[in-house]
Amino acid sequence: AEDTGLRVELAEEDDGKKSSIALRLWVEDPKKLKGKYKDNGVIEFSLDLINENPEDVAQEMIDSGFFHESDAKLLGKSIRDRVSLIKWKREKQCPVLV
Amino acid sequence: GTTTQVVHSAGRRFIVSPVPEARLKEP
């Protein structure tokens, strides 16, 4: 995935069955962000892989004051990339479930 | 700081904790 300056990782083991999964996100390179960034640390959250859009979660983070509006795309992309990877891994492991 | 903060937004819960040093040094 493209280096967005943001890192998104699994915050729990993926059993491949749950639709909602815990993720954690943090800023590795604040210089890549357009908006002013206040060091918040690691943000842990859960996301429904099937029913939720990564972009919506990104917007909620902005609304909560973690990031600036101008980084919405970057944030959404970072989460989406990780979600795609999780889905791809699930598909590889158990194509029937996905 | 070492505190963990919980922020609620539109039914979602964000748990915020400090970034461990080791994470920042990861390649």
Side-chain angles (χ1 to χ4, degrees):
Chain A
E2 190 192 318
D3 182 14
T4 56
L6 295 162
R7 277 284 284 265
V8 186
E9 281 189 355
L10 280 170
E12 64 178 345
E13 192 86 16
D14 181 18
D15 64 2
K17 293 171 198 148
K18 279 185 288 186
S19 69
S20 181
I21 196 138
L23 297 170
R24 57 170 80 99
L25 176 148
W26 72 95
V27 177
E28 264 192 334
D29 189 359
K31 288 193 287 289
K32 296 233 161 123
L33 298 176
K34 286 180 194 153
K36 219 176 177 183
Y37 169 71
K38 177 177 83 170
D39 188 12
N40 288 303
V42 182
I43 305 167
E44 205 176 303
F45 58 98
S46 60
L47 174 78
D48 191 311
L49 296 172
I50 298 155
N51 302 310
E52 285 183 317
N53 282 324
E55 284 76 12
D56 293 341
V57 185
Q59 191 56 50
E60 283 175 29
M61 286 186 185
I62 289 161
D63 294 344
S64 300
F66 296 127
F67 295 94
H68 191 263
E69 187 72 55
S70 56
D71 290 311
K73 267 193 180 170
L74 199 72
L75 200 53
K77 186 191 165 7
S78 308
I79 302 170
R80 183 168 286 282
D81 282 352
R82 175 57 61 183
V83 166
S84 305
L85 190 68
I86 295 166
K87 285 184 175 172
W88 177 79
K89 276 189 181 165
R90 283 187 173 194
E91 211 166 322
K92 232 175 71 174
Q93 279 162 1
C94 197
V96 182
L97 284 175
V98 181
Chain B
T2 52
T3 46
T4 298
Q5 193 193 342
V6 182
V7 178
H8 292 267
S9 164
R12 193 186 313 275
R13 200 169 56 145
F14 293 115
I15 304 162
V16 189
S17 32
V19 186
E21 281 288 300
R23 283 193 180 280
L24 292 173
K25 285 172 192 160
E26 263 178 37

